Amino acid sequence: MTTEFTPYAALIGGAMIGTASVLLMLLHGRIFGATGILAGILFPAGARDWSWRVMVVLGMVSAPLVYLLFAGRFPPIQSVASVPWQVVGGFLVGIGVTIGSGCTSGHGVCGMARLSKRSIAATLTFMASTALTVYVMRHVLGG
Amino acid sequence: MRLISAYLLGLLFGLGITISGMGNPAKVVNFFDVAGSWDPSLAFVMAGALAITFIGYRLVLARPRPLQEDRFFLPTSRVIDARLLGGAVIFGIGWGISGFCPGGALPVIGTFNADVLIFTAAMLAGILAARLMLKRRELALAARSAA
């Protein structure tokens, strides 16, 4: 399935992700990692720590509605996996980010920006693992 | 104020995800498919996010404390061990299969797309399973050192 190369939208969207990460540190003193924020909701460490996380996720979830308001349509979601594969993929992502303490936002953006060796090692590892998986799914198993 | 800013920052992040295409599995997977239908857009998402965060963090972390809390909450672990890298490998396999990562999936839940809802439910199950496993391992290690 081909997708259009969209460098400007990617750069602008990326800058927005970066701005949100910087402002969350400035205002709340927190790393903007989806894994960590979600973990703090599932396993609460007090009401004050729980409430801001819930609000961040509510803000995230309402983004497509705001997008719809301006663009007149929802952002495109082109699925690459059948339902059983979504279940397998989702389960592995959940296990991996919990054991590895972070994902693309926490390690890949915030950790790399702090030049954390841990995050750089994790990011290089999951990027390689993802690339290899995509190769196997598309060119070995066929898709 | 603290909760309003948290909401707005979640919204800003979510808009960044949807505008950049990080919430679209086909775009994400195509970034990694150099041997097939390659779409380099994701590199521009990372470049934009990293450039802003790299500079912004330097300014923010030079301050004594954040505006709405009395200290910064930064990760303290420094070790690069099998757990970190093993977790990253497993995450990568799941990301490669589905094209969704946690930060990409959460915002697009708002579209009520069936695939992202199923992915997210399975991801939550994976988080709970891994937590349970880590807890058991911790207890076993504690029991062994106590014995």
Side-chain angles (χ1 to χ4, degrees):
Chain A
M1 185 190 299
T2 56
T3 49
E4 196 192 339
F5 175 46
T6 51
Y8 297 112
L11 207 56
I12 292 165
M16 291 169 78
I17 294 167
T19 305
S21 305
V22 172
L23 291 179
L24 192 74
M25 188 60 81
L26 174 66
L27 292 161
H28 299 260
R30 300 283 181 167
I31 296 282
F32 207 130
T35 297
I37 291 173
L38 203 54
I41 292 176
L42 294 173
F43 314 99
R48 186 182 157 82
D49 183 66
W50 192 75
S51 53
W52 73 268
R53 297 168 187 270
V54 172
M55 293 307 280
V56 168
V57 172
L58 286 179
M60 286 164 99
V61 173
S62 52
L65 281 172
V66 176
Y67 185 104
L68 174 71
L69 224 58
F70 284 93
R73 58 174 173 82
F74 271 137
I77 301 175
Q78 299 157 278
S79 183
V80 297
S82 60
V83 168
W85 279 116
Q86 294 290 357
V87 172
V88 173
F91 196 69
L92 290 175
V93 167
I95 290 178
V97 297
T98 305
I99 295 178
S101 316
C103 55
T104 328
S105 47
H107 280 315
V109 176
C110 298
M112 295 253 286
R114 290 172 61 228
L115 300 179
S116 151
K117 289 198 178 74
R118 237 173 95 79
S119 288
I120 293 169
T123 305
L124 292 176
T125 305
F126 68 65
M127 294 296 267
S129 166
T130 308
L132 193 65
T133 305
V134 168
Y135 185 82
V136 170
M137 294 295 287
R138 284 210 166 158
H139 302 288
V140 180
L141 301 177
Chain B
M1 188 58 214
R2 196 177 67 98
L3 296 181
I4 294 170
S5 72
Y7 176 83
L8 290 175
L9 293 178
L11 178 62
L12 180 62
F13 180 94
L15 284 173
I17 290 288
T18 49
I19 290 170
S20 67
M22 281 296 292
N24 184 359
K27 246 183 129 51
V28 171
V29 167
N30 277 344
F31 172 74
F32 292 99
D33 193 12
V34 182
S37 47
W38 192 47
D39 174 355
S41 302
L42 196 84
F44 289 71
V45 185
M46 284 301 275
L50 273 174
I52 300 272
T53 311
F54 183 81
I55 298 166
Y57 268 12
R58 255 134 213 88
L59 300 172
V60 169
L61 293 172
R63 301 172 46 88
R65 68 184 71 84
L67 294 174
Q68 302 182 121
E69 299 287 341
D70 50 19
R71 67 180 182 94
F72 290 109
F73 300 84
L74 297 173
T76 49
S77 177
R78 292 268 181 277
V79 285
I80 297 173
D81 54 7
R83 182 180 153 177
L84 177 80
L85 301 180
V89 168
I90 297 170
F91 164 45
I93 296 172
W95 195 20
I97 289 173
S98 62
F100 287 118
C101 60
L106 287 179
V108 295
I109 286 177
T111 64
F112 294 101
N113 172 283
D115 283 305
V116 74
L117 293 178
I118 292 162
F119 168 87
T120 307
M123 177 179 78
L124 293 176
I127 293 175
L128 292 170
R131 264 289 170 127
L132 211 68
M133 200 187 70
L134 290 172
K135 205 88 199 162
R136 278 195 176 180
R137 194 161 147 258
E138 238 170 68
L139 288 175
L141 286 173
R144 200 180 308 162
S145 62

